[in-house]
Structures are given as C-alpha cells and as structure tokens.
Amino acid sequence: MSLFAGVGGGAGAADPASAGGTGRVLLELTPHKIAVCHLVQVFAPPAQAGGDSVPPFPFESVAHHNRLGLFLFMLTRSCDDFREPSLEELLRQLKAVDDLTNGWLCEQLTSTLSVLNSPDDLFNFFDKLRAVLTAPEGASAEDIFLDPNSQLGVFLRCCILAFNSMTFEGVCHLLADLVMYCNSTDASYDLAEDEDFDTEMNNLMDADIGSQAGIFEKYRQGYASESHMGESTSALTCAPMSLHDFDEANNFKADDNPTCLRSRWQLEAYLNQQADILEKDPSSVPLNSFNATMTQLQTLAPELHRVQFLQYLNALCHDDYVASLDNLHRYFDYSAGMQGLFGRSVSPMQDIVVGKYESALLCLGNLHCYFGHPKKALEAFAEAVRVSQMNNDDSCLAYVLGAISNLLSKIGMSNTVGIISSPYSLGTNIGLGTPLSIQQQLLVLLKRSLKRADILKLPSLLSFDHLSLAKFELKHVQRPLVSFGPNASTKLRTCPSDVCKNLRLSTRVLTDFGTDALSTTNDNGSFSTSWLRNLSAASDSWRSSSMKSTKLHNDFDNFHYHAQPSPVPAPVLQLAGSGYLLRSTAWEHYGSAPMVRMNALVYATCFADAASSSELSLAYVKLIQQLAVFKGYSAAFCALKLAEKKFPSSTSLHIQLLRMQILHERALHQGHLKVAQQICDEFGVLSSSVCGVDIELKIEASVRRARTLLAAKQYSQAAAVANSLFSTCYKYNMQVENASVLLLLAEIHRKSDNAVLGLPYALASQSFCKSFNLDLLEASATLTLAELWLALGSSHAERALSLVHQSLPMILGHGGLELCARAHIVLAKCHLSDPKFSVPEDPEAVLDPLNQATQDLQALEYHEMAAEAYYLKAMAYNHLGKLNEREEAAACFKEHITALENPHNEEDSLAY
C-alpha cells in the first residue's frame, strides 16, 4: 500500500524551477528537516516483504497511523513563518499526535537526535532513509511503503540529495546547528562551559550533547500541554490570520539560526499569506514593524525580490504614496523580469509573468487608481495595452482591459477622449467612425476582456469579468450602437435575467474547483498552516472526550475535521462571495428586501474567512441598513455597536458612512436640523477633491444636503442643490441615481405647494424606474404622484386612490416602516379628500391604516409624519363624533409638532 501516493505538489517540489532557477540545491538541509525525516521513517519504516498489513509499531490502528502521516504532510507544507520552528515547538505539536503512545514518538525523536554526534552518524542516518523509499522484492499491494513521488517521498529524496551534496565542512556546520537546535529552546539547557563553539571542530564533535536530555524530560512530564498551539519563538508566528503581533518583530536577531529558513516554496507561500492578510485587514499590520520584518527576511534571502513587492503592498494599504511608488520601482528594477507576482490565481498556469514592462505599467496604473489619480492611471493602462500588444502578452492584456473597465466603472469620467489612445480606438474595431460614450467604451472593454479570459483559460479573470458585466447591466441600459433603421431595437430597459445569468456564471470558478484544471495547483500552504494552528484545540477536545470514556478513542474524523479551515483557496472563495454580495446589491435595486438579507447573510456566514475587511463590512452594512428600515433605529444602533467592535469606524469607511447615514436620518426625523447639517458637512469632508473620484460619496453628500434644506423649508435652495445634482448624475451617466434625484425634486415641489411643477419630475422618475426595473422605487414614485394629484384638489382623489392601490402590494410586501406608514397616510388622505366617501359608513378604511402608520412611526421617531397621521385621526374621530378619541389624537399631534419645532438636547442626537 503506497502512502500518500500521487499527492499534488510533490512533483513541483522536485522541479528545479521551483528553486527559483538559481542553480542551487533544491532544499537546504537543517536540523528541523532531520527531525522530520526521522518522523517520516517512523511513519513509514523500511518495507518488509510479506509483512502484515496492520499498522507498524507503535501505532494501534490505521486511524492513529494516518494521524501522524497527516501531521507530517501538513508540517512540510505549512508557511506560518519564514523560519523553521524550534525543537520546542515541534515537540509541542507532536505531543498532540502522540497521546496514544504515551510520548513514545517524542522520546524516539529526542533519543535519535541525541546520538547524532559525528558525520558518520549522519551518514548512517540518511543511509537508513533510503530503505524507506525502496519497495522490497516481492512486495504486494498490501505491503506498506512510502511512494517516492508523494509529498513525503519527494521531501525525503530532496533531503538525501542535499546531504549527498554537502562537503565535510558543511556536515560539521550541520552538526553544530543541530546542537544549537537542541539547546536554543531554553537557556537552562545550554552546553557546558568547556563547549566553546569557537574552538577547533574536533572539540565540537567530541562535546557531550547529552545535557539536552533535560528539555526532553520536560516534555515527558507534560510541559507541552500547558502551552498553546501556535506560540512559536518566531517574531511573525501568530494564531489568527487577521491579527499579527508585529511588535515583536524588532526583537528578532539575525544570529538566531540565521540559516534555518524554510524551503523556497514555503517562503513564497509565506509571502502570499502576508499579502492575503494585508488585503483582508491592513489595519492589523503596523507599517514600520512589517517593513522591518521584511527587511530581515530580505537580508537572509537576498534573491527573494518579492519581499519588495510585499513592502509596496504594505505602503499601498497604509496610503503612503511615496513609499509604495519607490518599492514598486525597486521590485521591478531588481527582479528584472525574473520573478512573477504572487501566484494567487486558481488557473493551472501562472497568469502574468510580472517583472515585464507591461506588468509594471499595470501595477503602476492600479497604484494611481488607488490614490485617486484616474488620468494617470488611464495613461499607464493605455501604455500597458500598447506594450502588451507589441509583445503578444495576451494574459497581461486581458488583465489590463479588466483593470480599465474596473476603473471606468468606479470612477466617474465624463470624457476619455485623448486618454485611451485616440477617440476612435475602440470604435474602429466595430465599424464606427464616431467616438463612443464612456459607457459604450466600458461595455466594449468588458466584452473584450471576457473573451480573452475565456480563450486563455483564466478563470479568475473570467469570473471577475462576469461580475463586472452583471454590475454594468444592473445600472446601464444597453442601447444599440446603431440606433436607426428598420431593425433598430426599441427596448430601452435593463434585463434582470442577464444580470442573474452573469452572476451565475461568475460562481463557476467555485463549481469548477474540483476539476483537474483547478485542483492540481491550488495548494498554497494556507490550509496546512491553519491545520497546524488548530491542532492544539482539536487535540484538547479529543483528549477530554477520551478521558470521559473507559478506553481511548481512535476517532480520526474528530481529529481531522475539528475546526479545520476550508481547503478551497481564498481567491476562489472571494470571487464566489463577491457574487453573493452583488446579488444582494441587485435585489436592493429591484426592491426585494428578503433577498437582500438572505444574500448578505450567506456572504457574512459562508465567506467571512476569505473576505477582505472592506467587503465583509459592506455585508454588515447591508444587514444593519435593513434593521434600520424595518425595525427602527434602536435595533440598528445595537447592531452598529457590535459592527464597530469588529470593524472600527476609524479604519472602515463603510461603517463610518453607515453611522453617519443613520444619525442623519434620525436627526431629520427628530427635527434636529443643526445636527443634520453638521453630518452633511462631514460627508463632504470624506470625499476626495479630485473630479470624478468618490463620485458616489459626493452624490450621497449632495442628496443629504438637499434633504436637510427641505426639512428646514428652504425650498429654493433645496431645489437648486437637487438640480445641480441631477446635472452631475447626467454628466456621468448615473441614471439609477437620477431616478432618486427626480423623485427628490418632485417631493420638494410638493412640499412647496407647487404640485404642477412636481408632476413632470414624478413621471420622469417613474419612467426611469421602469427602465431600470427599480420596482420599490417605482412604487415610491407612484405614491408621490398620488400625493401630487391630491394636492391639486379633491376632484383628483379617485385618481390618487387608484395610484395608491397600484403601489400598495409592492410597498406592503417589501417597503420599510417609513414607506409603509407614508402609504397608509396617503391612503387615508385619499378617502378623507374624496367627497363621495363617508367616514361613518366605513371608519375602518381610514382608522386602520392610520393606526398602523402611527405604530410604525413610533419606532422611527418621525415627528412630522406622525403629526400628520394624528391630525388625520383627529379629523376621522371628529367625523365619527368621538370627542375623547379626537382630543387624545389632537394631544398627540400637538406633542409631535412641539417636539419638531422646539427640539431639545440636539447634541444627544450624535449619541447612541
């Protein structure tokens, strides 16, 4: 029976290219690797023909045997640090596997290391290892031996090859390192005073290293059980993926085992892991301490130029423009095209050979895009397109096109003529001689990038392009490029089915994960690292359950699956999770509140481990917004406090904006206009001063300013702000936002008693909503239209009532507290305004919606609308002749009017 036969990654470790093409040995032999070699020998002893199929001594079962094999496999793939673990850490981890043998594995390891006193001992040790890889004559399928092509088999072969390549001086240095390895765990177990490392080498060989037995005895007495898993002496080894104790980095000394670095593959996996941490939670990584650690790693491994790229990412995440640009230049200057970017793609082949000029331009464009320099970013991208086409670099060209489309979709640019090559560069390929609009250019770029990603088999880019197309189709009507002639399309509406189709196709990167094209090269070491970190918790759970029973358990599944991470790579999970987050946004546009909550919950529950802090905070924001709309501000602020503990508002823009949005809404409802204006000013400060950058935030600030002026009854100023906002949205072709702005203009004219001017805006907003399938906003626009008709006189009451009945199913099914209360009030006003309606004949038609409205508004503390509801109730009770109920409703009306006109303790509005 071949152990771990055909494990992925084994062949890659034996490939000379994995060593970086430097011509050096594949693996540098260290004391830690010698210890792992001994454990592999215990796991798979020299095969014996005709032997029993039962597990070898001292394993009691196949599960116990596999437990050690899995531990060794993870040990050779982990990348939690750039240095190898100390002997103390290895024994602590091993003890979690060694419970069933009463510490036999630890004793064997310590005794084996203690007898390696000379080069002959090392030669005999590695000579015995050869027998582990050799199948005996006449071996059958039932015999246990180690497959030479498996992960552990390749590891042994590399160690044997490294030892055979060593000189005698190298072997002597290895013995000296072995002594340091055994004694560096505790100062009380140093060598005797007469053992001086500066004396002649023969004195070192004769030294008595038996003094290390004290530390071995410590583990036999159960010292390791008092320690926690993951507490390495290394400066960068930490249990959580999102928090790193970089404060210890400055305590690192280059003299502590300076040559005990991990393998090249593990070093690169470690750097990839640090890049993931920077993306996931950059606020947890101190700028200077992290750079100091990377400098130390670069000192130990000068040929590892990716350290400079990681320093570039660190400076980028900490908004240091000068340092990020300098490190980016250094990386491409020193790597000179010999190394690539982090191989984080799930494609079987590396997508980009970074180091080339076009890839440097791609990174430079992303840097300018991050810092809000759209024109410089487009210039860099345009040059990258030219160089990629000249060098036939199709993969880089595909990524550049995706980057340009991402830039154009995020940053508003009213005119790109003269920036992207020439104004006709995108139009000539489709037979047009006129410049294309910014949206048409974006659509052409997206389809080009999607086509190239499909041809080149780049699943990550393919998934990203499908997400981008879904986002584009959600907010833009795809008008035909040739809009004349008998075959011209008259359909000017978005297509939700196309959005759902692209969202479904984007998740194929997850469904195709099990195929050979994706599963053979996705092991980046993160799963093994997390498995070892969780080993202590799994062992404690297994140990406590075994103590309660009469005999020891061999529950391998409990050991294997307890709190272990998903083996799916983080980039795959990120892309799949982004699909659910975009689904939530799409349903938010279409007006389905349950679907918004469901998709946001799926993302926050299933993809939280792989998500970046920005995207995860966005999912929390969507859920808290739903609470504010449907449960009121008290529930929303309780959830916001929990979210701020997880995502501090000082580091999360999404949480900061959410807090300001809810505070502004509550201030408007309570009549605290000074506080509302103060929050509006804060919105303006947060946005960038660069034209086109943070355009959505600028629009949000203008909308809230207009609403504040409307609440202050400064109608002319509010209308001026709204008109300017409409021009801005039209300039950047933000039609979905235009629908809300038009509805705001209609509301301003309605409250200023100018319903005739408000009708065109309400009708235009309704038309926009139909074009973009904004069902809930369309219902709100229909409700506003009914209010405008009512304002024109009681003769239009029937028409207004018909419009209200038309919008009620959507509002009552998916609307929040405010919208439902408003619909109920308008319904009651329609009945009370209709001269044909008699309140005494059908009082429930008026009182029931008003009672529901007052109940909903109580949670929102909306004084103005609540006062209107109680005023209508007083009128209804007056028609019914119920004087006590009328006076009670009138008292409530007066209370809300007083609170609105004379607000108290406005400063308390900022507290929650």
Side-chain angles (χ1 to χ4, degrees), residues 486-505:
N487 297 325
S489 175
T490 58
K491 180 183 177 182
L492 295 177
R493 297 187 62 173
T494 59
C495 187
S497 61
D498 290 343
V499 176
C500 295
K501 176 183 176 182
N502 278 292
L503 288 173
R504 186 174 64 253
L505 291 175

Side-chain angles (χ1 to χ4, degrees), residues 344-347 459-460 463 467 506-514 518-519 522 524 566-579 607 610:
R344 303 168 66 191
S345 172
V346 296
S347 61
S460 296
S463 177
L467 289 174
S506 69
T507 58
R508 287 183 59 184
V509 69
L510 185 60
T511 58
D512 292 346
F513 172 69
L518 296 179
S519 61
N522 52 36
N524 59 1
S566 171
V568 182
V572 177
L573 291 176
Q574 286 178 354
L575 287 170
S578 297
F607 301 96

Side-chain angles (χ1 to χ4, degrees), residues 301-324:
E303 73 282 359
L304 203 62
H305 300 300
R306 295 186 181 183
V307 172
Q308 293 164 340
F309 190 84
L310 204 65
Q311 289 176 317
Y312 151 72
L313 291 179
N314 185 35
L316 189 70
C317 293
H318 288 84
D319 299 329
D320 190 339
Y321 175 77
V322 177
S324 58

Side-chain angles (χ1 to χ4, degrees), residues 99-111:
D99 283 335
L100 288 177
T101 58
N102 298 321
W104 185 88
L105 293 176
C106 292
E107 292 180 1
Q108 281 294 312
L109 176 61
T110 55
S111 61

Side-chain angles (χ1 to χ4, degrees), residues 67 96-97 531 535 538-539 555-562 564:
R67 192 172 302 166
V97 187
W531 193 93
L535 181 59
S539 176
D555 189 0
F556 175 71
D557 291 337
N558 182 44
F559 179 85
H560 186 189
Y561 293 107
H562 178 77
Q564 296 305 324

Side-chain angles (χ1 to χ4, degrees), residues 41 44-46 121-134 156 160:
Q41 188 179 20
D121 294 334
L122 283 176
F123 177 82
N124 294 331
F125 175 79
F126 283 99
D127 187 60
K128 292 179 182 179
L129 288 180
R130 292 187 180 93
V132 176
L133 299 171
T134 305
L156 282 186
I160 294 172

